[in-house]
Amino acid sequence: MSEPVLEVRFTERDAATALRSDVRAGLTDAPKWLSPKWFYDARGSALFDRITALPEYYPTRAERAVLAARAGDIAALTAAQELVELGSGSSEKTRLLLDALVGHGSLRRFVPLDVSEPALRAATAAVAADYPGLVVHGIVADFTERLAIPSDGARRLVAFLGGTIGNLLPEERAWFLKELRHVLRHGEFLLLGTDLVKDPAALVRAYDDAEGVTAEFNRNVLLVLNRELGATFDVTGFDHVALWNAEQEWIEMRLRALRDMRVHVAALDMVVSFGAGEDLRTEVSAKFRPERVADELAAAGFALRRLWTDDHVRFGLSLAEA
Ligand code: AVJ
């Protein structure tokens, strides 16, 4: 097996700078918000992995079902030589794609990209060990900043799975898809996972599970701020809220202050006041109708080749050609 390469384009210092400016912007805005990017420290990533196994959280299982059913088609349609995965996390579902592309005989290189260096280090090591013929090149990067996808002329397939694109606001999404389209050459592909619009009660349950794991995941972002920015959030002073925004067709996670609070954020030399009942929005998770996926891909200059769903039409997987 060849040693996996790990390229760091987003250092701890970059992360620290980005966290500061993000938190300053979000906590001085009205209403207040934080970027979901900051959920994923080691504890947050572990909590997210637990979420994906919860009975209420269907997206991971639904996407895995579509991938399992269509991986062979994806390999045949793309004949990709390089698989780039954005926001790769554990790269667990990606193995279905790796297996199909290796089986097809075209794949040479796997390039997972993630903001979390520990997660990426573990994922690249595991994939390199299990796929001896494959060159594994991990990149620590923030794909919302600038898209740095290497190319040595290989035919690429970029996978953006899990419905993570739903974390971007509509304008950010349009910008991101255009960027990605410009990075790719004609004949290269994007494989995009999108959670689909469905019964709001089922959606809310998926983001407010009975065991309270999602609530812990949500509150964890305050612990990240306490540790990284010397903030004084009392995490027990906030309720976890998941609600369906029918107009925007997205799930919002919020943290609702249970009482009046003043929070000191030492690294920003800032005091933030919360009124009882005030919400801090921590995540937007957009849900899509198939027509919207098609429209947004077309607007970015992609040609939609396939849009598959699982048998229960809960999750969509689109294959689009640049
Ligand atoms: C990783 C962004 C796809 O939006 O469903 C899970 C994150 N938040 N439960 C999602 C998440 C609450 C997840 N994504």
Short mmCIF file of all heavy atoms in Angstrom, two decimals, residues 205-267:
data_model
loop_
_atom_site.label_atom_id
_atom_site.label_comp_id
_atom_site.label_asym_id
_atom_site.label_seq_id
_atom_site.Cartn_x
_atom_site.Cartn_y
_atom_site.Cartn_z
N ARG A 205 -38.76 15.41 13.36
CA ARG A 205 -38.29 14.28 14.18
C ARG A 205 -36.82 13.94 13.90
O ARG A 205 -36.06 13.62 14.81
CB ARG A 205 -39.14 13.03 13.91
CG ARG A 205 -40.35 12.89 14.81
CD ARG A 205 -40.89 11.46 14.79
NE ARG A 205 -41.23 10.98 13.45
CZ ARG A 205 -42.39 11.23 12.82
NH1 ARG A 205 -43.32 11.96 13.41
NH2 ARG A 205 -42.61 10.77 11.61
N ALA A 206 -36.44 14.04 12.61
CA ALA A 206 -35.06 13.71 12.24
C ALA A 206 -34.05 14.67 12.86
O ALA A 206 -32.87 14.35 13.02
CB ALA A 206 -34.92 13.70 10.71
N TYR A 207 -34.53 15.88 13.21
CA TYR A 207 -33.64 16.90 13.79
C TYR A 207 -33.94 17.17 15.27
O TYR A 207 -33.42 18.12 15.85
CB TYR A 207 -33.72 18.19 12.95
CG TYR A 207 -33.08 17.98 11.60
CD1 TYR A 207 -33.80 17.39 10.56
CD2 TYR A 207 -31.74 18.27 11.41
CE1 TYR A 207 -33.19 17.14 9.34
CE2 TYR A 207 -31.12 18.02 10.19
CZ TYR A 207 -31.86 17.45 9.16
OH TYR A 207 -31.25 17.19 7.96
N ASP A 208 -34.82 16.34 15.84
CA ASP A 208 -35.15 16.47 17.26
C ASP A 208 -35.46 15.08 17.79
O ASP A 208 -36.59 14.77 18.14
CB ASP A 208 -36.35 17.42 17.44
CG ASP A 208 -36.52 17.83 18.90
OD1 ASP A 208 -35.64 17.51 19.73
OD2 ASP A 208 -37.55 18.47 19.21
N ASP A 209 -34.44 14.23 17.84
CA ASP A 209 -34.63 12.82 18.16
C ASP A 209 -34.98 12.61 19.63
O ASP A 209 -34.64 13.44 20.49
CB ASP A 209 -33.36 12.04 17.81
CG ASP A 209 -32.18 12.53 18.64
OD1 ASP A 209 -31.61 13.57 18.30
OD2 ASP A 209 -31.86 11.87 19.64
N ALA A 210 -35.64 11.50 19.89
CA ALA A 210 -36.14 11.19 21.23
C ALA A 210 -35.02 11.05 22.25
O ALA A 210 -35.16 11.42 23.42
CB ALA A 210 -36.96 9.90 21.18
N GLU A 211 -33.87 10.55 21.79
CA GLU A 211 -32.75 10.32 22.71
C GLU A 211 -32.01 11.62 23.06
O GLU A 211 -31.21 11.65 24.00
CB GLU A 211 -31.78 9.36 22.02
CG GLU A 211 -31.17 8.32 22.94
CD GLU A 211 -30.03 7.58 22.23
OE1 GLU A 211 -30.31 6.99 21.15
OE2 GLU A 211 -28.90 7.61 22.72
N GLY A 212 -32.23 12.65 22.27
CA GLY A 212 -31.60 13.94 22.54
C GLY A 212 -30.17 14.06 22.02
O GLY A 212 -29.43 14.95 22.46
N VAL A 213 -29.78 13.20 21.11
CA VAL A 213 -28.42 13.26 20.57
C VAL A 213 -28.24 14.54 19.73
O VAL A 213 -27.21 15.22 19.83
CB VAL A 213 -28.08 12.01 19.71
CG1 VAL A 213 -26.65 12.08 19.20
CG2 VAL A 213 -28.29 10.74 20.53
N THR A 214 -29.26 14.87 18.93
CA THR A 214 -29.18 16.08 18.10
C THR A 214 -29.13 17.33 18.98
O THR A 214 -28.43 18.30 18.67
CB THR A 214 -30.35 16.14 17.11
OG1 THR A 214 -30.40 14.91 16.39
CG2 THR A 214 -30.18 17.29 16.13
N ALA A 215 -29.86 17.31 20.09
CA ALA A 215 -29.82 18.44 21.03
C ALA A 215 -28.40 18.62 21.57
O ALA A 215 -27.89 19.75 21.65
CB ALA A 215 -30.81 18.20 22.17
N GLU A 216 -27.75 17.52 21.91
CA GLU A 216 -26.37 17.58 22.40
C GLU A 216 -25.42 18.11 21.32
O GLU A 216 -24.52 18.89 21.59
CB GLU A 216 -25.89 16.20 22.87
CG GLU A 216 -26.27 15.86 24.28
CD GLU A 216 -25.95 17.00 25.24
OE1 GLU A 216 -24.75 17.31 25.41
OE2 GLU A 216 -26.90 17.59 25.79
N PHE A 217 -25.63 17.60 20.10
CA PHE A 217 -24.85 18.04 18.94
C PHE A 217 -25.00 19.55 18.76
O PHE A 217 -24.02 20.28 18.56
CB PHE A 217 -25.35 17.28 17.71
CG PHE A 217 -24.77 17.71 16.39
CD1 PHE A 217 -23.47 17.37 16.04
CD2 PHE A 217 -25.54 18.42 15.48
CE1 PHE A 217 -22.95 17.74 14.81
CE2 PHE A 217 -25.03 18.79 14.24
CZ PHE A 217 -23.73 18.46 13.91
N ASN A 218 -26.23 20.02 18.87
CA ASN A 218 -26.51 21.45 18.69
C ASN A 218 -25.81 22.27 19.78
O ASN A 218 -25.09 23.22 19.51
CB ASN A 218 -28.03 21.65 18.72
CG ASN A 218 -28.45 23.01 18.20
OD1 ASN A 218 -27.63 23.79 17.70
ND2 ASN A 218 -29.73 23.33 18.33
N ARG A 219 -26.00 21.87 21.04
CA ARG A 219 -25.38 22.62 22.14
C ARG A 219 -23.86 22.56 22.12
O ARG A 219 -23.18 23.42 22.65
CB ARG A 219 -25.86 22.07 23.49
CG ARG A 219 -27.30 22.38 23.79
CD ARG A 219 -27.61 22.04 25.25
NE ARG A 219 -29.04 22.11 25.47
CZ ARG A 219 -29.85 21.04 25.46
NH1 ARG A 219 -29.35 19.83 25.27
NH2 ARG A 219 -31.14 21.20 25.65
N ASN A 220 -23.33 21.50 21.48
CA ASN A 220 -21.88 21.34 21.45
C ASN A 220 -21.17 22.55 20.84
O ASN A 220 -20.03 22.87 21.20
CB ASN A 220 -21.51 20.06 20.69
CG ASN A 220 -20.02 19.78 20.72
OD1 ASN A 220 -19.45 19.59 21.79
ND2 ASN A 220 -19.37 19.78 19.56
N VAL A 221 -21.86 23.24 19.92
CA VAL A 221 -21.20 24.39 19.27
C VAL A 221 -20.87 25.46 20.31
O VAL A 221 -19.88 26.18 20.18
CB VAL A 221 -22.06 24.94 18.10
CG1 VAL A 221 -23.26 25.73 18.59
CG2 VAL A 221 -21.20 25.78 17.16
N LEU A 222 -21.67 25.55 21.37
CA LEU A 222 -21.38 26.53 22.42
C LEU A 222 -20.13 26.12 23.20
O LEU A 222 -19.34 26.99 23.62
CB LEU A 222 -22.58 26.66 23.37
CG LEU A 222 -23.90 27.11 22.73
CD1 LEU A 222 -24.99 27.22 23.79
CD2 LEU A 222 -23.72 28.44 22.00
N LEU A 223 -19.94 24.82 23.38
CA LEU A 223 -18.72 24.35 24.04
C LEU A 223 -17.49 24.64 23.18
O LEU A 223 -16.43 24.94 23.70
CB LEU A 223 -18.82 22.84 24.34
CG LEU A 223 -19.91 22.42 25.33
CD1 LEU A 223 -19.97 20.91 25.46
CD2 LEU A 223 -19.66 23.07 26.70
N VAL A 224 -17.67 24.55 21.87
CA VAL A 224 -16.57 24.90 20.95
C VAL A 224 -16.20 26.37 21.15
O VAL A 224 -15.01 26.71 21.27
CB VAL A 224 -16.96 24.62 19.48
CG1 VAL A 224 -15.92 25.18 18.51
CG2 VAL A 224 -17.15 23.12 19.25
N LEU A 225 -17.20 27.23 21.24
CA LEU A 225 -16.93 28.66 21.45
C LEU A 225 -16.30 28.92 22.82
O LEU A 225 -15.40 29.76 22.95
CB LEU A 225 -18.21 29.48 21.30
CG LEU A 225 -18.52 30.01 19.89
CD1 LEU A 225 -18.39 28.99 18.80
CD2 LEU A 225 -19.88 30.69 19.86
N ASN A 226 -16.77 28.19 23.83
CA ASN A 226 -16.17 28.35 25.16
C ASN A 226 -14.69 28.00 25.13
O ASN A 226 -13.86 28.73 25.66
CB ASN A 226 -16.89 27.46 26.18
CG ASN A 226 -18.25 28.03 26.58
OD1 ASN A 226 -18.62 29.14 26.19
ND2 ASN A 226 -19.00 27.26 27.36
N ARG A 227 -14.38 26.88 24.49
CA ARG A 227 -12.98 26.42 24.47
C ARG A 227 -12.11 27.27 23.55
O ARG A 227 -11.02 27.69 23.93
CB ARG A 227 -12.94 24.95 24.03
CG ARG A 227 -11.54 24.34 24.11
CD ARG A 227 -11.51 22.93 23.53
NE ARG A 227 -11.88 22.92 22.13
CZ ARG A 227 -12.85 22.18 21.61
NH1 ARG A 227 -13.56 21.36 22.36
NH2 ARG A 227 -13.13 22.23 20.32
N GLU A 228 -12.58 27.50 22.33
CA GLU A 228 -11.73 28.15 21.32
C GLU A 228 -11.66 29.67 21.49
O GLU A 228 -10.67 30.28 21.09
CB GLU A 228 -12.24 27.82 19.91
CG GLU A 228 -12.23 26.33 19.57
CD GLU A 228 -10.84 25.71 19.62
OE1 GLU A 228 -9.87 26.41 19.29
OE2 GLU A 228 -10.74 24.52 19.99
N LEU A 229 -12.72 30.26 22.04
CA LEU A 229 -12.76 31.73 22.12
C LEU A 229 -12.86 32.23 23.55
O LEU A 229 -13.10 33.41 23.78
CB LEU A 229 -13.95 32.26 21.30
CG LEU A 229 -13.97 31.90 19.80
CD1 LEU A 229 -15.23 32.44 19.14
CD2 LEU A 229 -12.73 32.44 19.08
N GLY A 230 -12.73 31.32 24.51
CA GLY A 230 -12.85 31.73 25.90
C GLY A 230 -14.21 32.33 26.21
O GLY A 230 -14.32 33.27 27.00
N ALA A 231 -15.26 31.77 25.60
CA ALA A 231 -16.61 32.27 25.86
C ALA A 231 -17.17 31.63 27.13
O ALA A 231 -16.64 30.62 27.61
CB ALA A 231 -17.53 31.96 24.68
N THR A 232 -18.22 32.24 27.67
CA THR A 232 -18.76 31.78 28.97
C THR A 232 -20.20 31.28 28.83
O THR A 232 -21.01 31.48 29.73
CB THR A 232 -18.72 32.92 30.01
OG1 THR A 232 -19.49 34.02 29.51
CG2 THR A 232 -17.28 33.38 30.25
N PHE A 233 -20.52 30.65 27.71
CA PHE A 233 -21.88 30.10 27.54
C PHE A 233 -22.18 29.05 28.59
O PHE A 233 -21.37 28.14 28.81
CB PHE A 233 -22.02 29.44 26.17
CG PHE A 233 -22.21 30.40 25.03
CD1 PHE A 233 -21.14 30.74 24.22
CD2 PHE A 233 -23.46 30.97 24.77
CE1 PHE A 233 -21.30 31.63 23.16
CE2 PHE A 233 -23.63 31.85 23.72
CZ PHE A 233 -22.54 32.18 22.92
N ASP A 234 -23.34 29.17 29.26
CA ASP A 234 -23.87 28.10 30.10
C ASP A 234 -24.77 27.28 29.18
O ASP A 234 -25.89 27.68 28.87
CB ASP A 234 -24.67 28.71 31.25
CG ASP A 234 -25.45 27.64 32.02
OD1 ASP A 234 -25.24 26.43 31.76
OD2 ASP A 234 -26.28 28.03 32.86
N VAL A 235 -24.25 26.10 28.75
CA VAL A 235 -24.99 25.34 27.73
C VAL A 235 -26.33 24.82 28.25
O VAL A 235 -27.24 24.55 27.47
CB VAL A 235 -24.17 24.17 27.14
CG1 VAL A 235 -22.95 24.70 26.41
CG2 VAL A 235 -23.77 23.17 28.19
N THR A 236 -26.47 24.71 29.57
CA THR A 236 -27.75 24.23 30.11
C THR A 236 -28.80 25.35 30.06
O THR A 236 -29.98 25.11 30.30
CB THR A 236 -27.61 23.75 31.57
OG1 THR A 236 -27.26 24.89 32.38
CG2 THR A 236 -26.53 22.69 31.70
N GLY A 237 -28.38 26.55 29.72
CA GLY A 237 -29.31 27.69 29.62
C GLY A 237 -29.97 27.81 28.26
O GLY A 237 -30.68 28.78 28.00
N PHE A 238 -29.76 26.81 27.39
CA PHE A 238 -30.33 26.87 26.04
C PHE A 238 -31.11 25.60 25.70
O PHE A 238 -30.62 24.49 25.93
CB PHE A 238 -29.23 27.07 25.00
CG PHE A 238 -28.60 28.44 25.03
CD1 PHE A 238 -27.57 28.71 25.91
CD2 PHE A 238 -29.07 29.44 24.19
CE1 PHE A 238 -27.00 29.97 25.95
CE2 PHE A 238 -28.50 30.70 24.23
CZ PHE A 238 -27.46 30.98 25.11
N ASP A 239 -32.28 25.78 25.14
CA ASP A 239 -33.10 24.68 24.63
C ASP A 239 -32.76 24.41 23.17
O ASP A 239 -32.53 25.34 22.41
CB ASP A 239 -34.58 25.08 24.70
CG ASP A 239 -35.32 24.36 25.79
OD1 ASP A 239 -34.75 23.43 26.40
OD2 ASP A 239 -36.48 24.73 26.04
N HIS A 240 -32.78 23.13 22.80
CA HIS A 240 -32.63 22.74 21.40
C HIS A 240 -33.98 22.91 20.69
O HIS A 240 -35.00 22.44 21.18
CB HIS A 240 -32.20 21.28 21.34
CG HIS A 240 -32.31 20.67 19.98
ND1 HIS A 240 -31.53 21.08 18.91
CD2 HIS A 240 -33.11 19.69 19.49
CE1 HIS A 240 -31.85 20.36 17.84
NE2 HIS A 240 -32.80 19.52 18.16
N VAL A 241 -33.95 23.61 19.55
CA VAL A 241 -35.18 23.81 18.77
C VAL A 241 -34.91 23.38 17.33
O VAL A 241 -33.90 23.78 16.74
CB VAL A 241 -35.60 25.31 18.79
CG1 VAL A 241 -36.82 25.54 17.89
CG2 VAL A 241 -35.88 25.77 20.21
N ALA A 242 -35.81 22.55 16.78
CA ALA A 242 -35.76 22.20 15.35
C ALA A 242 -37.09 22.60 14.76
O ALA A 242 -38.14 22.18 15.27
CB ALA A 242 -35.51 20.71 15.17
N LEU A 243 -37.08 23.42 13.73
CA LEU A 243 -38.36 23.80 13.14
C LEU A 243 -38.29 23.80 11.62
O LEU A 243 -37.24 23.99 11.02
CB LEU A 243 -38.85 25.13 13.69
CG LEU A 243 -37.97 26.36 13.56
CD1 LEU A 243 -38.19 27.02 12.22
CD2 LEU A 243 -38.32 27.33 14.67
N TRP A 244 -39.47 23.56 11.02
CA TRP A 244 -39.59 23.53 9.57
C TRP A 244 -39.99 24.92 9.09
O TRP A 244 -41.01 25.46 9.53
CB TRP A 244 -40.64 22.50 9.15
CG TRP A 244 -41.00 22.50 7.70
CD1 TRP A 244 -42.23 22.74 7.15
CD2 TRP A 244 -40.13 22.20 6.59
NE1 TRP A 244 -42.17 22.64 5.78
CE2 TRP A 244 -40.89 22.30 5.41
CE3 TRP A 244 -38.76 21.87 6.49
CZ2 TRP A 244 -40.35 22.07 4.14
CZ3 TRP A 244 -38.23 21.65 5.22
CH2 TRP A 244 -39.02 21.75 4.07
N ASN A 245 -39.16 25.52 8.26
CA ASN A 245 -39.48 26.80 7.64
C ASN A 245 -40.12 26.48 6.28
O ASN A 245 -39.44 26.15 5.32
CB ASN A 245 -38.19 27.62 7.49
CG ASN A 245 -38.44 29.00 6.92
OD1 ASN A 245 -39.35 29.19 6.11
ND2 ASN A 245 -37.63 29.96 7.34
N ALA A 246 -41.45 26.56 6.25
CA ALA A 246 -42.21 26.10 5.07
C ALA A 246 -41.97 27.02 3.87
O ALA A 246 -42.00 26.57 2.72
CB ALA A 246 -43.70 26.03 5.40
N GLU A 247 -41.72 28.28 4.13
CA GLU A 247 -41.52 29.24 3.05
C GLU A 247 -40.19 28.96 2.34
O GLU A 247 -40.11 28.91 1.12
CB GLU A 247 -41.54 30.64 3.63
CG GLU A 247 -41.72 31.73 2.60
CD GLU A 247 -41.64 33.09 3.25
OE1 GLU A 247 -42.11 33.23 4.41
OE2 GLU A 247 -41.07 34.00 2.62
N GLN A 248 -39.14 28.77 3.13
CA GLN A 248 -37.81 28.53 2.55
C GLN A 248 -37.57 27.05 2.25
O GLN A 248 -36.59 26.70 1.60
CB GLN A 248 -36.72 29.00 3.53
CG GLN A 248 -36.80 30.47 3.90
CD GLN A 248 -36.33 31.38 2.77
OE1 GLN A 248 -35.88 30.92 1.73
NE2 GLN A 248 -36.46 32.67 2.98
N GLU A 249 -38.44 26.20 2.77
CA GLU A 249 -38.28 24.74 2.65
C GLU A 249 -36.93 24.29 3.22
O GLU A 249 -36.14 23.61 2.55
CB GLU A 249 -38.51 24.27 1.20
CG GLU A 249 -39.95 24.56 0.78
CD GLU A 249 -40.41 23.88 -0.50
OE1 GLU A 249 -39.64 23.85 -1.47
OE2 GLU A 249 -41.55 23.37 -0.52
N TRP A 250 -36.68 24.73 4.45
CA TRP A 250 -35.50 24.22 5.13
C TRP A 250 -35.82 23.97 6.60
O TRP A 250 -36.74 24.55 7.17
CB TRP A 250 -34.30 25.13 4.95
CG TRP A 250 -34.33 26.52 5.56
CD1 TRP A 250 -34.77 26.87 6.81
CD2 TRP A 250 -33.84 27.73 4.95
NE1 TRP A 250 -34.57 28.22 7.02
CE2 TRP A 250 -34.01 28.78 5.89
CE3 TRP A 250 -33.25 28.01 3.71
CZ2 TRP A 250 -33.63 30.10 5.62
CZ3 TRP A 250 -32.88 29.32 3.46
CH2 TRP A 250 -33.07 30.35 4.39
N ILE A 251 -35.04 23.06 7.18
CA ILE A 251 -35.07 22.83 8.63
C ILE A 251 -34.10 23.82 9.26
O ILE A 251 -33.01 24.04 8.73
CB ILE A 251 -34.62 21.38 8.96
CG1 ILE A 251 -35.75 20.39 8.66
CG2 ILE A 251 -34.16 21.26 10.41
CD1 ILE A 251 -36.84 20.30 9.75
N GLU A 252 -34.51 24.43 10.34
CA GLU A 252 -33.61 25.30 11.09
C GLU A 252 -33.37 24.69 12.45
O GLU A 252 -34.31 24.25 13.11
CB GLU A 252 -34.25 26.68 11.32
CG GLU A 252 -34.14 27.58 10.14
CD GLU A 252 -34.72 28.96 10.42
OE1 GLU A 252 -34.53 29.49 11.54
OE2 GLU A 252 -35.35 29.50 9.52
N MET A 253 -32.13 24.67 12.87
CA MET A 253 -31.83 24.34 14.25
C MET A 253 -31.50 25.65 14.95
O MET A 253 -30.80 26.50 14.40
CB MET A 253 -30.66 23.38 14.37
CG MET A 253 -30.98 22.00 13.82
SD MET A 253 -30.10 20.66 14.65
CE MET A 253 -28.42 21.25 14.66
N ARG A 254 -32.00 25.76 16.15
CA ARG A 254 -31.74 26.96 16.94
C ARG A 254 -31.42 26.57 18.37
O ARG A 254 -31.78 25.48 18.81
CB ARG A 254 -32.99 27.86 16.95
CG ARG A 254 -33.45 28.28 15.57
CD ARG A 254 -34.69 29.11 15.71
NE ARG A 254 -35.18 29.58 14.41
CZ ARG A 254 -36.20 30.41 14.27
NH1 ARG A 254 -36.85 30.86 15.34
NH2 ARG A 254 -36.60 30.80 13.07
N LEU A 255 -30.81 27.48 19.08
CA LEU A 255 -30.63 27.34 20.52
C LEU A 255 -31.39 28.50 21.14
O LEU A 255 -31.16 29.66 20.78
CB LEU A 255 -29.14 27.37 20.89
CG LEU A 255 -28.38 26.11 20.45
CD1 LEU A 255 -26.87 26.34 20.52
CD2 LEU A 255 -28.78 24.90 21.30
N ARG A 256 -32.35 28.18 22.00
CA ARG A 256 -33.24 29.19 22.57
C ARG A 256 -32.84 29.48 24.01
O ARG A 256 -32.84 28.56 24.85
CB ARG A 256 -34.69 28.72 22.48
CG ARG A 256 -35.70 29.74 22.98
CD ARG A 256 -37.10 29.36 22.55
NE ARG A 256 -37.21 29.40 21.07
CZ ARG A 256 -38.18 28.81 20.36
NH1 ARG A 256 -39.13 28.12 20.99
NH2 ARG A 256 -38.20 28.91 19.04
N ALA A 257 -32.53 30.74 24.29
CA ALA A 257 -32.13 31.13 25.65
C ALA A 257 -33.31 30.96 26.60
O ALA A 257 -34.41 31.42 26.32
CB ALA A 257 -31.65 32.57 25.65
N LEU A 258 -33.06 30.27 27.72
CA LEU A 258 -34.15 30.00 28.68
C LEU A 258 -34.37 31.19 29.62
O LEU A 258 -35.39 31.28 30.28
CB LEU A 258 -33.81 28.75 29.50
CG LEU A 258 -33.83 27.45 28.69
CD1 LEU A 258 -33.19 26.31 29.47
CD2 LEU A 258 -35.27 27.10 28.30
N ARG A 259 -33.39 32.05 29.70
CA ARG A 259 -33.49 33.23 30.58
C ARG A 259 -32.60 34.33 30.02
O ARG A 259 -31.83 34.09 29.08
CB ARG A 259 -33.06 32.85 32.00
CG ARG A 259 -31.75 32.09 32.03
CD ARG A 259 -31.37 31.56 33.42
NE ARG A 259 -30.32 30.58 33.32
CZ ARG A 259 -29.02 30.84 33.10
NH1 ARG A 259 -28.61 32.09 32.95
NH2 ARG A 259 -28.13 29.88 33.01
N ASP A 260 -32.66 35.51 30.60
CA ASP A 260 -31.75 36.59 30.19
C ASP A 260 -30.33 36.15 30.52
O ASP A 260 -30.09 35.59 31.59
CB ASP A 260 -32.07 37.88 30.96
CG ASP A 260 -33.41 38.48 30.56
OD1 ASP A 260 -34.00 38.01 29.56
OD2 ASP A 260 -33.86 39.41 31.24
N MET A 261 -29.43 36.40 29.59
CA MET A 261 -28.04 36.00 29.83
C MET A 261 -27.08 37.01 29.22
O MET A 261 -27.40 37.61 28.18
CB MET A 261 -27.77 34.63 29.18
CG MET A 261 -28.09 33.45 30.08
SD MET A 261 -27.75 31.90 29.25
CE MET A 261 -29.22 31.73 28.25
N ARG A 262 -25.93 37.14 29.85
CA ARG A 262 -24.82 37.90 29.26
C ARG A 262 -23.65 36.95 29.13
O ARG A 262 -23.27 36.29 30.09
CB ARG A 262 -24.46 39.08 30.18
CG ARG A 262 -25.45 40.24 30.08
CD ARG A 262 -25.27 41.20 31.25
NE ARG A 262 -23.95 41.86 31.22
CZ ARG A 262 -23.66 42.90 30.45
NH1 ARG A 262 -24.57 43.41 29.64
NH2 ARG A 262 -22.46 43.45 30.48
N VAL A 263 -23.13 36.88 27.93
CA VAL A 263 -22.04 35.94 27.66
C VAL A 263 -20.79 36.73 27.26
O VAL A 263 -20.86 37.59 26.37
CB VAL A 263 -22.43 34.97 26.52
CG1 VAL A 263 -21.28 34.02 26.22
CG2 VAL A 263 -23.69 34.20 26.89
N HIS A 264 -19.71 36.45 27.93
CA HIS A 264 -18.46 37.12 27.59
C HIS A 264 -17.70 36.26 26.59
O HIS A 264 -17.58 35.04 26.78
CB HIS A 264 -17.63 37.32 28.88
CG HIS A 264 -16.37 38.08 28.66
ND1 HIS A 264 -15.18 37.72 29.27
CD2 HIS A 264 -16.10 39.16 27.89
CE1 HIS A 264 -14.24 38.56 28.86
NE2 HIS A 264 -14.76 39.44 28.04
N VAL A 265 -17.24 36.86 25.51
CA VAL A 265 -16.42 36.13 24.54
C VAL A 265 -15.04 36.78 24.57
O VAL A 265 -14.79 37.79 23.91
CB VAL A 265 -17.03 36.18 23.12
CG1 VAL A 265 -16.26 35.25 22.18
CG2 VAL A 265 -18.51 35.77 23.16
N ALA A 266 -14.16 36.19 25.38
CA ALA A 266 -12.86 36.82 25.68
C ALA A 266 -12.05 37.13 24.42
O ALA A 266 -11.56 38.24 24.26
CB ALA A 266 -12.06 35.92 26.63
N ALA A 267 -11.94 36.16 23.52
CA ALA A 267 -11.09 36.33 22.34
C ALA A 267 -11.58 37.44 21.42
O ALA A 267 -10.82 37.95 20.60
CB ALA A 267 -11.00 35.02 21.57
#
